[in-house]
Amino acid sequence: MMNFLAPAEIGDRIQAIRKQHAIRSAIALADLIPGDNVTESIVQTIEAGGKDDLLVSQLLNIAKALHVSPIFLLAPIATPWAWLDIANLSSSFDDMTVVQFDAWILSELDGAYHWATNDEHSERAQRLATPELHTQLRERSRLAV
């Protein structure tokens, strides 16, 4: 079985994950996604390498249907020191590796992006606090019963 973390192209990763989850065809994957944002034709085109500039909504819908984080579709996580190779990104991503991209997406301090303004620091702090807040609220609800 193919390691879905390794393929370099997004279409290859989608296809590998789809097969790993025993989703037999592009139409079967498209059927798991409500609406018409991701059709059989779109999945086939992506998997064949004919479409590498997905809409954010398409990327998120496919990731949700495959039960994986979008980062697994965006970058070859199994090769963390490889250079990031996502179509149509600005040149500011040219010196970013996969592991740096992952850290940047996750708002980690040691990522490739260094937070410059107070607003960025505040946004990062809020983003990092959100899961803890959710946990605290869930625990509060549990104890209130």
Side-chain angles (χ1 to χ4, degrees), residues 40-117:
E40 174 189 13
S41 175
I42 289 172
V43 173
Q44 288 174 334
T45 302
I46 294 167
E47 288 185 355
K51 180 176 177 63
D52 55 10
D53 58 345
L54 282 68
L55 297 173
V56 171
S57 58
Q58 291 172 327
L59 174 76
L60 296 176
N61 282 329
I62 292 169
K64 182 77 168 167
L66 293 172
H67 304 286
V68 297
S69 168
I71 192 69
F72 291 116
L73 303 183
L74 285 170
I77 299 299
T79 55
W81 302 111
W83 295 110
L84 188 62
D85 187 18
I86 299 175
N88 301 318
L89 293 180
S90 73
S91 61
S92 64
F93 288 90
D94 287 351
D95 295 331
M96 192 179 286
T97 64
V98 171
V99 73
Q100 290 171 323
F101 177 71
D102 185 44
W104 176 70
I105 289 286
L106 295 173
S107 300
E108 291 180 359
L109 284 175
D110 58 349
Y113 182 77
H114 299 285
W115 311 98
T117 68

Side-chain angles (χ1 to χ4, degrees), residues 14 18 23 25-33 43 47 62 65-66:
I14 290 171
R18 176 175 60 76
I23 301 169
S25 64
I27 194 165
L29 175 57
D31 286 346
L32 293 173
I33 302 168
V43 173
E47 288 185 355
I62 292 169
L66 293 172

